[in-house]
Each structure stands twice: as structure tokens, then as C-alpha cells.
Amino acid sequence: AGTPTQRSRRDRFRQTARGIRHPPSSRPRYCLGARAEECSTRPLTPPQPHVPIPGSFVLLAALLQVRADSQPSRVTAFPVVSYSGATGIQYGAAAFHAFRIGRDPATRASSDGAFFTRSTKGYTKAFVQAERWSPGNARRLRVRAEYTSHPLPFFGIGARAPDGNEEWYSLGLTSVHVQDQRALRGSTYLLAGYRFVNTRPRESETGGLVWRGELPGTTGGTTSELQLGLARDSRDRPGAPLRGRFARVVAAVSSRSLGADYTFSRLTVDARRYVPLDRGHVVAAQLQYDAVSGRVPFDQLPMIGADTAMRGYPRGRYRDRQAVTAQVEIRSAHWRRSGVVLFAGAGSVGGRLPDLLQGPWRPTAGAGLRLLLIPADRAVARLDLAFGRGSFGVHIGLGEAF
């Protein structure tokens, strides 16, 4: 499946996995800067429609509820099966467990979640997570551990990295994230957290920038971050709000004194608002800003392209030291446990703030389906189809995108 250009790139990627390398004289050069004139002079192929994993489409996302919703503790499990040209058939399962600590109905729901898929070509994606809200919402503790080894595209760094610079790579990534949130006053919380990420190179396309190891992170390594921030959260339910606001500012530092191979700092700003409409419909809006300084692994740079924001682009389609994204989503009321959403957004990356604001701004839009898993907590599973400029993406997940 895929265009001739995409099939050729996948062939090169598979050859590299078998240890076949081109001679140095035939290795292509790749875009390193944000300006078009700083990119390689090699002929660029015409832009091709791109899927996060080429040729991907969903074969099955059937849902099986294994415990009635009327029970105090609710468990939902479902199989996940999909296909892509890069990974082959992917198969696995996910489970979600929701409950409430204490008897106060105003206490937010706590949850556990797990997800695992394996592909016929040996790629894995798995995570487990736990979230606990104490009685009265005075404290929130969240822990997530994840491992992924899926192939991903890399186009270079900068807002104008061209489609013709696409190369494929895969890293074995292990991460653990712990965050403790404690109420200061009302809906204002103090955040403290720790994030550990370890990567090791698995495969890379012969002759590419990742293959040559010319960027931080291409040879693997460890980041170890301490995080501190403030949040204001007045949402009625965090997982699928009908009304309220959420704002968060978090500063993070990765340092060799913490056991990291890379020293850098990060600032993240996330602001959201939820406005109810007639008949249970909701308008949700989000603005995000992410900036780094120091020596940052290329796969942890601020970027455009993810399953929760800028969904019409493959993960990391554009990346640089700063990124800003904005999106609006209209969510319908649920009818017989089903709902629909419409969304649109835009984003930009840049090395400095003036470059970021100047653009170019990349648009995205799409639609999705929602299946209500646990009505009491409005917990949902989602399937989104999103389009970007010359690309599109299909995403499956637990919970709303934001």
C-alpha cells in the first residue's frame, strides 16, 4: 500500500534494518534549518499525502463491557486491531478501570488504565497508568509507565522542513512519569513531578540524518526531569468536561546531576476552556506553548503532530525549540452511548519567539466518533480522522483529546 515514493522509503528503511548501507558518496543530505534555502540541494520529490504510519487504517475497535455500570467499580476492556505498511498487523487490548475514593459524589473519579499492542513485524506499544483523587479533590497523584518501539518519520528541524526530506527511524523508548498535585486554595494546585525517559536506537533509514547520528538523541540516551508548576482547574470532570476552565504552567529541568545524558530546560503552558451549549453539546478550546533551551534530544523537541493536538500531521512532522498550537472542538451529546466531534486547529514552530509568531501556520481539521464507556463518569473511547496540509491521520484513544 502507499504511493511509489512511500513504498521506496519503506524499502530503504527495511534494507537498513537488515544491515544494508549505501556508500558514503550516495548518502543524501537533509534539512537542518528553518529556512528553505538552508535545506539540502538534492531534488525533492513532490509532496505526497502522508499517514502517521503509511497505509494505516483501522480494521477493528470493538468494545466489550465486562462489568455493569451500576457497580461502584467499573471495568471496561476492548481489543484493538489495526494495520499499516510499516508495522504490519497490530493486535492487542486495552482496559480501563474507574472508581471513586470515599462517598462524596463531588470527589473526582480515580482510574487505572492499560494498553498493549504487538505487530507482526516486531513493534510494540504498551503503557500502564494510575490516577488517584483524594476525598474532596485535595490531592491528585498520577503515575504512567510506557514502552514504544514503533517506526516514525523524521523530516528535519524547522518550520519549513520539506516533505522530500522524509526518513524513517525507530527507537526503543521507555518512560516513567510521576506527578503530584496538591490544592493550595480553591481550584488552584501546586504541581511537582519527575519524568524519566530512556531511548536506544533500533533502526534508521540508510544515509539519513538519524542514521548518521548528527543530532542529539539519535544514538539514544537518558533524560531525567524535575518538574514544578501551578495549575487552576475548575472543570466539572477532568476526563470529559461539560464546563469549566483549566490552565497549567510547568517548568522542567533535565540535568546530569539527576542522572541524565542531556542538560536542558523546558517551559510548558496549557490553557483550556469548556462551554456548554443547548441539548448537551459542548465547545472545547485549547492553547498550548512549549519551549526548550539547552541540548535537547531531537525526539523531545517541541513539535507539531500528535494524537491529541494537530492530529492531521504525523508525530513530529514539524519540530524546533518552540511550538504553539491552538484547537477548537465541538462535541455532541451522546445518543445511545455514541457521539460525534468536529475539530479544527493551527500550529507553528520556530527557533525563536519572533520566528514562531511569523509562521508559517499549519492548519488541521477533522471529525471523530465517541463511544461512551462509563456514563456516570462520561469516560469515552475515541476514533478520530484528521487532515493537515498534504497529510492525514487516524487515531484511537481513551478519553477526549483534551
Side-chain angles (χ1 to χ4, degrees):
T3 65
T5 300
Q6 290 173 334
R7 288 196 296 269
S8 174
R9 288 165 180 160
R10 288 201 296 268
D11 290 343
R12 292 201 303 270
F13 181 69
R14 293 164 184 161
Q15 286 178 349
T16 303
R18 295 193 297 265
I20 301 173
R21 296 192 172 190
H22 299 306
S25 60
S26 65
R27 295 176 186 172
R29 296 170 56 203
Y30 285 76
C31 179
L32 297 175
R35 298 180 180 178
E37 58 268 24
E38 295 175 359
C39 298
S40 69
T41 58
R42 71 186 177 103
L44 301 180
T45 58
Q48 301 288 340
H50 185 84
V51 190
I53 303 176
S56 68
F57 58 89
V58 178
L59 298 178
L60 175 67
L63 292 147
L64 172 65
Q65 190 141 331
V66 299
R67 188 174 294 186
D69 292 332
S70 60
Q71 298 295 323
S73 180
R74 297 170 293 274
V75 178
T76 299
F78 56 94
V80 177
V81 182
S82 63
Y83 172 81
S84 80
T87 65
I89 298 174
Q90 301 172 65
Y91 52 90
F96 182 78
H97 173 219
F99 58 96
R100 185 168 280 105
I101 297 176
R103 299 183 178 273
D104 185 358
T107 299
R108 291 175 170 177
S110 298
S111 65
D112 299 313
F115 180 94
F116 176 84
T117 59
R118 180 74 173 174
S119 83
T120 54
K121 295 184 179 180
Y123 298 107
T124 302
K125 181 175 183 179
F127 70 79
V128 292
Q129 64 181 34
E131 182 179 41
R132 298 290 184 271
W133 283 93
S134 67
N137 303 321
R139 184 181 181 188
R140 170 184 176 263
L141 181 64
R142 183 177 185 271
V143 180
R144 179 183 174 103
E146 182 174 4
Y147 175 79
T148 61
S149 62
H150 275 216
L152 294 168
F154 177 66
F155 296 83
I157 296 174
R160 301 183 186 277
D163 293 320
N165 279 6
E166 180 188 31
E167 59 180 277
W168 285 82
Y169 72 96
S170 72
L171 300 173
L173 184 149
T174 303
S175 67
V176 178
H177 189 190
V178 180
Q179 190 175 79
D180 191 1
Q181 176 177 309
R182 303 196 181 206
L184 294 178
R185 181 178 180 182
S187 57
T188 302
Y189 293 85
L190 175 67
L191 305 177
Y194 173 76
R195 182 170 179 258
F196 169 88
V197 179
N198 177 265
T199 61
R200 59 180 180 84
R202 284 171 47 96
E203 301 162 330
S204 56
E205 188 173 322
T206 304
L209 195 61
V210 177
W211 181 78
R212 299 200 303 266
E214 295 182 3
L215 290 175
T218 53
T219 58
T222 297
T223 62
S224 180
E225 294 182 19
L226 286 180
Q227 303 171 335
L228 187 64
L230 288 173
R232 186 167 180 83
D233 188 355
S234 62
R235 296 171 295 177
D236 56 344
R237 279 184 171 86
L242 292 179
R243 58 178 54 83
R245 302 183 185 214
F246 175 82
R248 174 178 59 192
V249 178
V250 179
V253 175
S254 176
S255 170
R256 292 188 178 275
S257 62
L258 299 172
D261 297 316
Y262 303 95
T263 299
F264 63 91
S265 60
R266 182 187 299 272
L267 176 66
T268 303
V269 179
D270 184 357
R272 314 175 195 178
R273 186 174 181 184
Y274 306 88
V275 179
L277 304 177
D278 293 338
R279 302 180 181 180
H281 306 315
V282 178
V283 174
Q286 181 186 40
L287 176 67
Q288 293 186 98
Y289 171 75
D290 192 15
V292 295
S293 62
R295 188 168 179 262
V296 188
F298 81 104
D299 61 312
Q300 296 184 49
L301 286 169
M303 61 181 64
I304 286 179
D307 61 348
T308 58
M310 300 300 292
R311 284 164 269 181
Y313 297 90
R315 182 185 182 276
R317 171 59 185 90
Y318 300 98
R319 63 186 83 196
D320 211 320
R321 290 189 168 271
Q322 301 190 42
V324 62
T325 61
Q327 60 180 332
V328 176
E329 191 166 276
I330 300 176
R331 302 170 181 170
S332 76
H334 295 112
W335 181 76
R336 293 188 179 180
R337 295 207 172 192
S338 298
V340 298
V341 301
L342 298 174
F343 53 88
S348 177
V349 300
R352 301 172 304 148
L353 186 59
D355 301 329
L356 181 68
L357 299 177
Q358 184 179 358
W361 289 80
R362 309 291 177 176
T364 186
L369 299 176
R370 298 294 183 267
L371 182 60
L372 189 61
L373 303 179
I374 303 174
D377 299 310
R378 297 200 296 271
V380 300
R382 59 185 172 90
L383 171 64
D384 290 333
L385 174 62
F387 296 87
R389 184 171 293 171
S391 63
F392 70 94
V394 179
H395 304 283
I396 300 174
L398 291 174
E400 296 288 0
F402 63 95

